Amino acid sequence: MNTIDVDTLIDDPRTRVIVCCGSGGVGKTTTAAALALRAAERGRQTVVLTIDPARRLAQALGLRELGNHPRQVLLPGFEPKGELWAMMLDMRRTFDDMVRTHAGPERAEQLLANPFYQTISTSFSGTQEYMAMEKLGQLAATDSWDLIVVDTPPSRSALDFLDAPNRLSTALDGRMIRLLTGPAKAGGWGIRKVVTAGFSIFAKAVSTIIGGQLLTDASAFMQAFDSMFGGFRERARKTAELLRSDGTAFLVVAAPEPDALREASFFVDRLSAESMPLSGLVANRTHPVLADLSATAALSAAEKVESSAPLATAVLRLHADRVALANREDRLLARFTRAHPEVPIAGVPALPGDVHDIAGLREIGDRLASYETST
């Protein structure tokens, strides 16, 4: 089994972006934070961009809260060789900031006040993924950090993160919206007067369903948005190029469970098909055996001492259960490796409790980096 040399990856100055992707609930956020912490302690100027709104990550980093702009992690006794900065994506604020930056003051205010904009900026399909891409592009453009670690939104597809800019811009530039908003541009005749007879029934039906006011808002939005549409796509293209470059490393994070590893296989296949720079699989919360004693031997010993040593009996039975769990996880990971022999793996043994401080993140980083010597 090939293993990921985590320290070589984060120490390499050519590694500029590490993207942690995977389905929800597998520990992407904590893995990203642990990698960023380890990189900073080894000398990198590091920023971690998280998508998870849970406050426990901020608490683990010693911060009261994380905002939409990076904050340096400064704590008594925490003296990394480099620097560690952290931020949590605020989807709406990122969209608002993008509008203010690229639309000009007057047009920006028109967009921000538009009810149609207020709807799509928080609930349009792909908005969160696109704003994560937008924020990554902003961080990379500043050259303030030499390593950016990204915790991506949980997605069914590994490439939702990459496809989002194209999907969002296609939707906003799509024929449906152009048909709905086009009439307002044609001399202000009004939506129903300009459409053809063949389209009027459709327009009336749509207006009935979603409301005529929303059509008017959409029309005004598209007129204001046109001025920044080219820049919208150009920035998305540049960020996509960054993610496909040799300086980016994708890590697929999964739990050692059948469903999670099936999802991981799907992620790996999609990344490989698109020739994305995949660095490996992180198997999170594994349960390695801590003593060289088989389950059969443990159960046999437990039977012999059951009446005289109840505590020892309980420990032996727990060990037997642990061996069975470890064997199950080993079989699942072996199955994944047979399907993807080219993909290196690193495992992170489960901790007794949740990570709630710098020490916990450091321990995860230590376990991740030492996996290669323990297998």
Side-chain angles (χ1 to χ4, degrees):
M1 182 186 295
N2 295 328
T3 57
I4 306 171
D5 189 340
V6 170
D7 285 343
T8 295
L9 177 66
I10 62 179
D11 289 347
D12 189 342
R14 294 172 296 181
T15 303
R16 300 296 308 279
V17 179
I18 296 177
V19 181
C20 295
C21 58
S23 54
V26 296
K28 289 195 313 296
T29 300
T30 305
T31 300
L35 286 168
L37 176 73
R38 189 172 184 85
E41 292 193 320
R42 295 175 68 88
R44 301 297 297 270
Q45 303 294 112
T46 310
V47 60
V48 55
L49 163 62
T50 181
I51 315 300
D52 189 351
R55 289 189 61 189
R56 58 185 176 81
L57 177 64
Q59 293 167 351
L61 293 170
L63 303 173
R64 182 171 300 176
E65 61 182 1
L66 290 174
N68 199 46
H69 299 283
R71 289 183 56 188
Q72 188 173 3
V73 179
L74 299 171
L75 292 171
F78 177 57
E79 299 177 355
K81 294 179 181 177
E83 292 181 357
L84 176 61
W85 296 67
M87 64 159 292
M88 183 183 73
L89 180 74
D90 184 320
M91 179 175 66
R92 174 62 184 272
R93 286 189 59 187
T94 299
F95 211 149
D96 289 354
D97 290 345
M98 182 185 74
V99 168
R100 289 190 179 97
T101 300
H102 299 285
E106 182 177 348
R107 187 142 292 188
E109 292 309 312
Q110 294 175 13
L111 280 168
L112 296 176
N114 187 287
F116 186 75
Y117 167 77
Q118 293 169 9
T119 298
I120 70 160
S121 63
T122 54
S123 59
F124 209 76
S125 175
T127 303
Q128 185 182 50
E129 287 87 354
Y130 175 74
M131 290 307 137
M133 286 276 282
E134 177 74 19
K135 183 59 70 172
L136 171 59
Q138 292 174 11
L139 295 175
T142 66
D143 287 327
S144 298
W145 301 277
D146 57 33
L147 178 62
I148 303 169
V149 183
V150 184
D151 161 37
T152 61
S155 301
R156 174 63 179 89
S157 167
L159 296 184
D160 276 357
F161 183 60
L162 297 172
D163 292 342
N166 185 56
R167 286 190 291 114
L168 187 57
S169 63
T170 298
L172 294 176
D173 194 33
R175 187 178 180 188
M176 184 70 70
I177 286 182
R178 290 298 178 185
L179 284 172
L180 295 175
T181 62
K185 299 178 184 179
W189 292 355
I191 189 165
R192 292 186 180 84
K193 293 182 180 178
V194 177
V195 291
T196 64
F199 187 65
S200 61
I201 296 176
F202 168 77
K204 183 176 180 181
V206 171
S207 180
T208 301
I209 294 169
I210 67 175
Q213 183 58 47
L214 183 57
L215 296 182
T216 302
D217 294 338
S219 177
F221 167 81
M222 288 306 299
Q223 291 179 75
F225 196 75
D226 271 346
S227 64
M228 57 180 288
F229 205 75
F232 183 91
R233 286 179 161 169
E234 178 62 17
R235 289 191 308 281
R237 184 188 64 79
K238 287 183 177 179
T239 305
E241 287 180 359
L242 170 67
L243 289 173
R244 287 183 165 89
S245 71
D246 293 338
T248 295
F250 278 82
L251 292 175
V252 177
V253 183
E257 297 290 339
D259 289 346
L261 286 172
R262 275 194 293 271
E263 289 287 305
S265 291
F266 179 81
F267 275 58
V268 167
D269 289 341
R270 286 295 308 275
L271 290 169
S272 298
E274 297 291 330
S275 300
M276 301 301 295
L278 174 63
S279 290
L281 172 82
V282 174
N284 202 21
R285 304 173 191 141
T286 62
H287 298 84
V289 176
L290 305 179
D292 188 15
L293 181 67
S294 70
T296 301
L299 290 174
S300 177
E303 290 179 3
K304 292 178 182 178
V305 300
E306 186 171 8
S307 59
S308 59
L311 181 58
T313 300
V315 171
L316 287 165
R317 293 189 186 282
L318 283 173
H319 174 76
D321 290 343
R322 176 79 173 229
V323 171
L325 178 58
N327 288 341
R328 175 177 176 272
E329 292 176 353
D330 287 345
R331 288 194 298 271
L332 289 170
L333 290 173
R335 185 185 305 166
F336 176 90
T337 298
R338 286 195 297 272
H340 306 282
E342 76 288 354
V343 179
I345 293 179
V348 182
L351 297 179
D354 290 338
V355 175
H356 55 79
D357 55 19
I358 289 286
L361 290 175
R362 185 180 291 120
E363 183 172 359
I364 288 178
D366 289 344
R367 292 185 178 208
L368 184 58
S370 64
Y371 180 78
E372 60 213 14
T373 62
S374 62
T375 55

